[in-house]
Each structure stands twice: as structure tokens, then as C-alpha cells.
Tab-separated table of all heavy atoms in Angstrom:
chain	number	residue	atom	x	y	z
F	1	ARG	N	7.519	3.851	-22.320
F	1	ARG	CA	8.138	5.178	-22.255
F	1	ARG	C	7.158	6.218	-21.705
F	1	ARG	O	7.547	7.118	-20.965
F	1	ARG	CB	8.638	5.588	-23.644
F	1	ARG	CG	9.863	4.825	-24.133
F	1	ARG	CD	10.382	5.424	-25.432
F	1	ARG	NE	11.610	4.793	-25.881
F	1	ARG	CZ	11.669	3.724	-26.658
F	1	ARG	NH1	10.523	3.153	-27.083
F	1	ARG	NH2	12.827	3.218	-27.035
F	2	VAL	N	5.903	6.089	-22.061
F	2	VAL	CA	4.889	7.021	-21.557
F	2	VAL	C	4.715	6.851	-20.060
F	2	VAL	O	4.678	7.843	-19.302
F	2	VAL	CB	3.537	6.798	-22.275
F	2	VAL	CG1	2.427	7.599	-21.597
F	2	VAL	CG2	3.644	7.191	-23.745
F	3	ARG	N	4.667	5.624	-19.590
F	3	ARG	CA	4.504	5.380	-18.155
F	3	ARG	C	5.707	5.910	-17.389
F	3	ARG	O	5.557	6.537	-16.330
F	3	ARG	CB	4.319	3.882	-17.881
F	3	ARG	CG	3.099	3.266	-18.545
F	3	ARG	CD	2.719	1.935	-17.924
F	3	ARG	NE	3.746	0.908	-17.992
F	3	ARG	CZ	3.898	0.059	-18.996
F	3	ARG	NH1	3.106	0.145	-20.072
F	3	ARG	NH2	4.836	-0.879	-18.959
F	4	ARG	N	6.902	5.673	-17.909
F	4	ARG	CA	8.109	6.190	-17.253
F	4	ARG	C	8.134	7.708	-17.239
F	4	ARG	O	8.543	8.327	-16.252
F	4	ARG	CB	9.356	5.655	-17.969
F	4	ARG	CG	9.555	4.158	-17.910
F	4	ARG	CD	9.918	3.674	-16.530
F	4	ARG	NE	11.166	4.261	-16.050
F	4	ARG	CZ	11.584	4.202	-14.808
F	4	ARG	NH1	10.835	3.610	-13.880
F	4	ARG	NH2	12.742	4.754	-14.437
F	5	ALA	N	7.671	8.320	-18.313
F	5	ALA	CA	7.641	9.784	-18.379
F	5	ALA	C	6.720	10.352	-17.310
F	5	ALA	O	7.056	11.338	-16.636
F	5	ALA	CB	7.193	10.232	-19.771
F	6	LEU	N	5.566	9.724	-17.121
F	6	LEU	CA	4.626	10.207	-16.095
F	6	LEU	C	5.241	10.080	-14.705
F	6	LEU	O	5.103	10.989	-13.862
F	6	LEU	CB	3.329	9.415	-16.175
F	6	LEU	CG	2.493	9.598	-17.452
F	6	LEU	CD1	1.282	8.666	-17.432
F	6	LEU	CD2	2.032	11.053	-17.606
F	7	LEU	N	5.902	8.958	-14.460
F	7	LEU	CA	6.563	8.753	-13.166
F	7	LEU	C	7.615	9.833	-12.906
F	7	LEU	O	7.610	10.482	-11.839
F	7	LEU	CB	7.224	7.375	-13.139
F	7	LEU	CG	8.170	7.106	-11.958
F	7	LEU	CD1	7.382	6.859	-10.683
F	7	LEU	CD2	9.084	5.916	-12.252
F	8	LEU	N	8.497	10.057	-13.880
F	8	LEU	CA	9.620	10.972	-13.692
F	8	LEU	C	9.192	12.437	-13.680
F	8	LEU	O	9.929	13.306	-13.206
F	8	LEU	CB	10.661	10.737	-14.789
F	8	LEU	CG	11.288	9.332	-14.812
F	8	LEU	CD1	12.162	9.147	-16.041
F	8	LEU	CD2	12.099	9.096	-13.541
F	9	ALA	N	7.994	12.707	-14.171
F	9	ALA	CA	7.491	14.083	-14.184
F	9	ALA	C	6.672	14.414	-12.951
F	9	ALA	O	6.116	15.503	-12.841
F	9	ALA	CB	6.643	14.310	-15.446
F	10	THR	N	6.598	13.471	-12.008
F	10	THR	CA	5.818	13.657	-10.788
F	10	THR	C	6.741	14.002	-9.630
F	10	THR	O	7.547	13.173	-9.185
F	10	THR	CB	5.028	12.374	-10.443
F	10	THR	OG1	4.271	11.954	-11.585
F	10	THR	CG2	4.087	12.628	-9.275
F	11	ASP	N	6.645	15.231	-9.151
F	11	ASP	CA	7.491	15.694	-8.054
F	11	ASP	C	6.865	15.256	-6.729
F	11	ASP	O	6.134	16.011	-6.071
F	11	ASP	CB	7.630	17.215	-8.110
F	11	ASP	CG	8.631	17.753	-7.092
F	11	ASP	OD1	9.178	16.937	-6.333
F	11	ASP	OD2	8.852	18.982	-7.059
F	12	ARG	N	7.160	14.041	-6.340
F	12	ARG	CA	6.524	13.478	-5.155
F	12	ARG	C	7.029	14.085	-3.860
F	12	ARG	O	6.305	14.161	-2.861
F	12	ARG	CB	6.732	11.954	-5.158
F	12	ARG	CG	5.940	11.279	-6.277
F	12	ARG	CD	6.449	9.882	-6.562
F	12	ARG	NE	7.654	9.909	-7.392
F	12	ARG	CZ	8.371	8.834	-7.704
F	12	ARG	NH1	8.000	7.651	-7.238
F	12	ARG	NH2	9.439	8.929	-8.473
F	13	LEU	N	8.284	14.544	-3.853
F	13	LEU	CA	8.825	15.196	-2.660
F	13	LEU	C	8.039	16.452	-2.313
F	13	LEU	O	7.745	16.723	-1.147
F	13	LEU	CB	10.305	15.531	-2.864
F	13	LEU	CG	11.026	16.161	-1.659
F	13	LEU	CD1	10.999	15.218	-0.464
F	13	LEU	CD2	12.466	16.514	-2.031
F	14	SER	N	7.673	17.216	-3.340
F	14	SER	CA	6.918	18.448	-3.075
F	14	SER	C	5.513	18.134	-2.571
F	14	SER	O	4.916	18.931	-1.837
F	14	SER	CB	6.843	19.309	-4.338
F	14	SER	OG	5.963	18.745	-5.293
F	15	ILE	N	4.979	16.969	-2.940
F	15	ILE	CA	3.647	16.584	-2.455
F	15	ILE	C	3.667	16.352	-0.956
F	15	ILE	O	2.800	16.839	-0.216
F	15	ILE	CB	3.148	15.336	-3.204
F	15	ILE	CG1	2.837	15.663	-4.670
F	15	ILE	CG2	1.891	14.779	-2.522
F	15	ILE	CD1	2.444	14.467	-5.508
F	16	THR	N	4.703	15.640	-0.467
F	16	THR	CA	4.757	15.367	0.964
F	16	THR	C	5.176	16.604	1.762
F	16	THR	O	4.725	16.793	2.888
F	16	THR	CB	5.726	14.217	1.269
F	16	THR	OG1	7.012	14.513	0.704
F	16	THR	CG2	5.212	12.922	0.666
F	17	GLN	N	6.021	17.442	1.170
F	17	GLN	CA	6.520	18.596	1.914
F	17	GLN	C	5.572	19.790	1.876
F	17	GLN	O	5.431	20.517	2.859
F	17	GLN	CB	7.895	19.019	1.377
F	17	GLN	CG	9.001	18.012	1.697
F	17	GLN	CD	10.362	18.504	1.269
F	17	GLN	OE1	10.501	19.417	0.456
F	17	GLN	NE2	11.407	17.891	1.814
F	18	ALA	N	4.914	20.002	0.730
F	18	ALA	CA	4.113	21.218	0.572
F	18	ALA	C	2.614	20.976	0.613
F	18	ALA	O	1.842	21.930	0.751
F	18	ALA	CB	4.483	21.901	-0.756
F	19	ILE	N	2.181	19.712	0.499
F	19	ILE	CA	0.734	19.455	0.435
F	19	ILE	C	0.250	18.627	1.628
F	19	ILE	O	-0.558	19.086	2.434
F	19	ILE	CB	0.360	18.749	-0.883
F	19	ILE	CG1	0.702	19.660	-2.089
F	19	ILE	CG2	-1.119	18.387	-0.908
F	19	ILE	CD1	0.436	19.020	-3.431
F	20	THR	N	0.732	17.403	1.773
F	20	THR	CA	0.176	16.517	2.806
F	20	THR	C	0.646	16.924	4.213
F	20	THR	O	-0.150	16.926	5.150
F	20	THR	CB	0.534	15.062	2.539
F	20	THR	OG1	1.971	14.912	2.500
F	20	THR	CG2	-0.044	14.606	1.199
F	21	LYS	N	1.930	17.162	4.393
F	21	LYS	CA	2.491	17.758	5.616
F	21	LYS	C	2.174	16.998	6.897
F	21	LYS	O	2.097	17.585	7.970
F	21	LYS	CB	2.015	19.209	5.765
F	21	LYS	CG	2.430	20.132	4.646
F	21	LYS	CD	1.924	21.555	4.901
F	21	LYS	CE	2.305	22.483	3.770
F	21	LYS	NZ	1.815	23.864	4.015
F	22	ALA	N	1.970	15.692	6.806
F	22	ALA	CA	1.660	14.905	8.001
F	22	ALA	C	2.708	13.823	8.206
F	22	ALA	O	2.382	12.691	8.562
F	22	ALA	CB	0.259	14.317	7.897
F	23	GLN	N	3.984	14.188	7.952
F	23	GLN	CA	5.120	13.299	8.201
F	23	GLN	C	5.154	12.084	7.279
F	23	GLN	O	5.851	11.100	7.551
F	23	GLN	CB	5.129	12.850	9.668
F	23	GLN	CG	5.182	14.017	10.644
F	23	GLN	CD	4.978	13.600	12.088
F	23	GLN	OE1	5.184	12.447	12.441
F	23	GLN	NE2	4.559	14.538	12.947
F	24	GLN	N	4.384	12.119	6.171
F	24	GLN	CA	4.468	11.022	5.202
F	24	GLN	C	5.862	11.006	4.552
F	24	GLN	O	6.495	12.076	4.387
F	24	GLN	CB	3.404	11.180	4.106
F	24	GLN	CG	1.979	11.062	4.589
F	24	GLN	CD	1.343	12.383	4.912
F	24	GLN	OE1	2.047	13.386	5.111
F	24	GLN	NE2	0.019	12.424	4.975
F	25	LYS	N	6.310	9.831	4.154
F	25	LYS	CA	7.592	9.716	3.473
F	25	LYS	C	7.360	9.597	1.974
F	25	LYS	O	6.490	8.837	1.524
F	25	LYS	CB	8.365	8.489	3.983
F	25	LYS	CG	8.873	8.644	5.397
F	25	LYS	CD	9.833	7.519	5.761
F	25	LYS	CE	10.439	7.749	7.133
F	25	LYS	NZ	11.444	6.707	7.490
F	26	THR	N	8.129	10.340	1.203
F	26	THR	CA	8.046	10.264	-0.255
F	26	THR	C	8.333	8.829	-0.698
F	26	THR	O	9.272	8.196	-0.213
F	26	THR	CB	9.065	11.224	-0.890
F	26	THR	OG1	8.845	12.540	-0.377
F	26	THR	CG2	8.909	11.252	-2.396
F	27	ALA	N	7.524	8.326	-1.611
F	27	ALA	CA	7.615	6.922	-2.003
F	27	ALA	C	8.406	6.763	-3.301
F	27	ALA	O	8.031	7.341	-4.329
F	27	ALA	CB	6.232	6.309	-2.158
F	28	TYR	N	9.464	5.975	-3.238
F	28	TYR	CA	10.209	5.581	-4.438
F	28	TYR	C	10.147	4.064	-4.607
F	28	TYR	O	10.860	3.496	-5.426
F	28	TYR	CB	11.646	6.067	-4.343
F	28	TYR	CG	11.757	7.571	-4.238
F	28	TYR	CD1	12.121	8.180	-3.050
F	28	TYR	CD2	11.420	8.380	-5.327
F	28	TYR	CE1	12.187	9.563	-2.954
F	28	TYR	CE2	11.482	9.768	-5.239
F	28	TYR	CZ	11.868	10.347	-4.045
F	28	TYR	OH	11.921	11.721	-3.949
F	29	SER	N	9.317	3.426	-3.807
F	29	SER	CA	9.080	1.986	-3.898
F	29	SER	C	7.633	1.746	-3.533
F	29	SER	O	6.952	2.637	-3.025
F	29	SER	CB	10.006	1.223	-2.945
F	29	SER	OG	9.738	1.616	-1.599
F	30	PHE	N	7.125	0.555	-3.805
F	30	PHE	CA	5.761	0.224	-3.410
F	30	PHE	C	5.734	-0.225	-1.952
F	30	PHE	O	4.889	0.190	-1.167
F	30	PHE	CB	5.234	-0.897	-4.325
F	30	PHE	CG	3.781	-1.219	-4.096
F	30	PHE	CD1	2.861	-0.239	-3.755
F	30	PHE	CD2	3.328	-2.516	-4.245
F	30	PHE	CE1	1.512	-0.544	-3.562
F	30	PHE	CE2	1.981	-2.841	-4.061
F	30	PHE	CZ	1.079	-1.841	-3.703
């Protein structure tokens, strides 16, 4: 439950759109 909570609390879309900005795709798989 702790691991799932950390995953779901991570806004990965905002990381690619507002931080990295080099056309990376948000990852929902490995």
C-alpha cells in the first residue's frame, strides 16, 4: 500500500511537461 501510494502521488505528466521539456513521454509502464 505504501509503494502504491508513492506511485499514485507522483504527477509524472507535470514532470515531462513542466520540467524536462525535451519531448519525453510520461511513463505508465516500464
